[in-house]
Amino acid sequence: MPTNKNAFIRYKCLDKLLSDRYHYYDRKTLTEKVNDMLYDLGYDSVGKRTIEKDLDELKCSPFNAPIKETKKNGKLIVSYSDHSFSLFSQELSREERNLLHEVLSTIGQFDGLDNFQWLEDFKIGLGLEERRQIICFSNNPYLKNSNLLGTLFDNISNEVVIRMSYHTFSDKNVRSIMFHPYLLKQYNDRWFLLGAADTDGKILTFALDRIDKVEAQPERKYMPCPDTLLERFEDIVGVTYFENNPVEHILFWVSDFTKDYIETKPLHGTQTLQRGNADTRLRQEYPQLDGGAFYTIDCIKNYELIRLLCSYGKDLIVLQSNGTILDDIRQRIKEMNEKYLELRI
């Protein structure tokens, strides 16, 4: 057995890489990845020959690691033949088992989806008993392509680049893109995938029901998710983000019938009730509006915001904005009214 004091640090690094079923590593890339880990831990880098000796040691007693080499794309890929094997496996404590039980119960609404069989297998492996569901999230069982959730979950969590085929509502021709998936987000009972285009790193959003095919590309280098990804949701309603659209300050009135609903379920995190002098001034400016309450929000205009503001009908009236959303809403109402007039004829 080697006496090198850093050997077991390298073994832990190799153990993690060899059990990775989502990426391909030959001896050269194994060396590079181990050195990246060593650098992060404050240790000196090593050469390829050292890693090769480590692999030989791991194959022998007492480790007996099931290391295999498989030829893929002209390279000899090194991995465990059994990806569940680990040199450093430990028994879960009672507290850890209890925590896992609650987590698995909470996300139980995904049970039965393709590629989420591992969840059921995990429960069985831990010996967790069945229990009734006590938290239920909104879920549309008839959503097209919901079976992709498991596949994309695996790709995102294991940082795997995908080749994705998709089409739009307006164009049924199937297109293809090399894509770095970052986030699955639900909105209005639909699922959306956010990630970066391989060509320029631009963040794009795709509805799952528009995706036709997903193929893993484990040999391609994955671009890390930007730390600011979630920040874009702070200025929007829904998932559609237009980088060139400014944040609009929007004033709207809500009727007495709807104001309690709007107050307890705000349209956006910036929603602010106009009180005191501001409320008095607005009531003088809009005497036609009886009762109710005035609110403001600060949002980037997108389709979801316009649809949300229009969904309350006469009980929510947009009064002002420093952008174009008021004009867009007026145009939508005009066109809708014209359609109803046509139907009456």
Side-chain angles (χ1 to χ4, degrees):
M1 185 172 292
T3 58
N4 187 332
K5 64 180 180 179
N6 295 337
F8 281 97
I9 302 298
R10 298 197 302 274
Y11 291 172
K12 290 189 71 172
C13 298
L14 284 168
D15 185 60
K16 180 178 180 179
L17 296 169
L18 294 172
S19 62
D20 184 351
R21 71 184 69 196
Y22 299 97
H23 298 88
Y24 298 154
Y25 303 113
D26 58 13
R27 291 173 181 253
K28 178 183 176 183
T29 52
L30 269 179
T31 305
E32 293 172 353
K33 287 290 185 180
V34 169
N35 281 329
D36 288 342
M37 295 179 181
L38 291 175
Y39 177 81
D40 291 338
L41 295 170
Y43 293 96
D44 294 333
S45 61
V46 296
K48 181 182 173 185
R49 183 58 187 150
T50 298
I51 297 300
E52 290 175 339
K53 288 181 178 179
D54 288 343
L55 292 172
D56 291 336
E57 289 288 343
L58 293 179
K59 292 178 183 178
C60 301
S61 179
F63 304 109
N64 298 315
I67 297 174
K68 67 172 184 177
E69 293 193 60
T70 309
K71 198 165 187 178
K72 293 183 182 293
N73 300 327
K75 294 182 178 180
L76 279 177
I77 304 303
V78 189
S79 67
Y80 287 149
S81 58
D82 177 5
H83 290 287
S84 64
F85 176 84
S86 175
L87 298 171
F88 306 98
S89 59
Q90 295 179 337
E91 285 290 323
L92 291 172
S93 68
R94 182 176 180 181
E95 290 77 11
E96 290 170 331
R97 289 173 62 86
N98 289 337
L99 178 60
L100 279 172
H101 193 297
E102 294 306 316
V103 171
L104 294 175
S105 297
T106 300
I107 63 172
Q109 71 270 25
F110 293 117
D111 286 357
L113 291 180
D114 291 348
N115 285 53
F116 265 51
Q117 181 59 39
W118 61 267
L119 187 60
E120 188 61 32
D121 294 341
F122 192 37
K123 289 182 181 178
I124 295 172
L126 291 174
L128 301 179
E129 70 278 6
E130 288 296 321
R131 60 183 293 176
R132 68 179 182 86
Q133 187 173 336
I134 58 176
I135 297 178
C136 183
F137 294 103
S138 176
N139 186 28
N140 181 358
Y142 307 107
L143 179 67
K144 183 180 177 183
N145 285 355
S146 61
N147 61 304
L148 288 177
L149 280 172
T151 299
L152 294 170
F153 177 91
D154 283 346
N155 295 143
I156 294 171
S157 59
N158 292 285
E159 299 187 336
V160 178
V161 181
I162 60 174
R163 182 185 297 278
M164 187 171 67
S165 301
Y166 70 97
H167 64 280
T168 65
F169 281 119
S170 58
D171 186 355
K172 301 302 181 184
N173 292 324
V174 176
R175 305 174 187 178
S176 180
I177 184 174
M178 201 68 71
F179 198 64
H180 299 253
Y182 294 147
L183 179 69
L184 287 165
K185 183 172 176 61
Q186 188 184 38
Y187 176 72
N188 197 29
D189 284 342
R190 293 178 74 201
W191 282 96
F192 297 84
L193 172 66
L194 282 82
D198 189 69
T199 51
D200 56 9
K202 183 178 180 180
I203 301 296
L204 302 174
T205 304
F206 294 90
L208 258 63
D209 54 13
R210 300 293 92 197
I211 298 175
D212 297 285
K213 188 177 182 182
V214 171
E215 298 173 287
Q217 307 291 310
E219 70 280 1
R220 298 185 72 93
K221 186 176 180 180
Y222 184 85
M223 289 190 292
C225 178
D227 295 334
T228 58
L229 180 66
L230 292 179
E231 292 180 6
R232 62 177 47 217
F233 296 110
E234 296 175 2
D235 293 328
I236 64 172
V237 169
V239 297
T240 308
Y241 181 87
F242 296 104
E243 294 184 0
N244 296 325
N245 281 11
V247 173
E248 295 192 26
H249 184 69
I250 302 165
L251 170 69
F252 61 93
W253 170 87
V254 180
S255 70
D256 286 323
F257 179 77
T258 303
K259 70 177 183 181
D260 288 342
Y261 185 83
I262 295 293
E263 184 66 31
T264 55
K265 186 186 177 185
L267 303 187
H268 188 259
T270 59
Q271 181 173 300
T272 304
L273 173 65
Q274 302 302 290
R275 305 173 185 270
N277 292 335
D279 179 75
T280 300
R281 176 181 58 78
L282 289 169
R283 294 194 182 282
Q284 293 173 348
E285 188 173 353
Y286 299 100
Q288 312 93 320
L289 300 175
D290 185 30
F294 296 91
Y295 293 91
T296 60
I297 55 174
D298 296 282
C299 287
I300 293 176
K301 183 185 73 174
N302 61 11
Y303 172 77
E304 294 98 313
L305 177 60
I306 293 175
R307 184 176 61 182
L308 178 62
L309 291 170
C310 291
S311 67
Y312 292 91
K314 64 181 178 59
D315 290 307
L316 189 156
I317 307 296
V318 177
L319 302 171
Q320 299 175 14
S321 78
N322 60 346
T324 62
I325 195 166
L326 181 55
D327 293 334
D328 292 337
I329 290 175
R330 284 172 173 161
Q331 182 63 28
R332 172 177 285 215
I333 295 172
K334 177 184 175 183
E335 293 174 358
M336 185 169 63
N337 186 54
E338 290 172 351
K339 284 292 182 184
Y340 274 104
L341 290 175
E342 290 175 7
L343 290 172
R344 285 173 52 190
I345 294 174

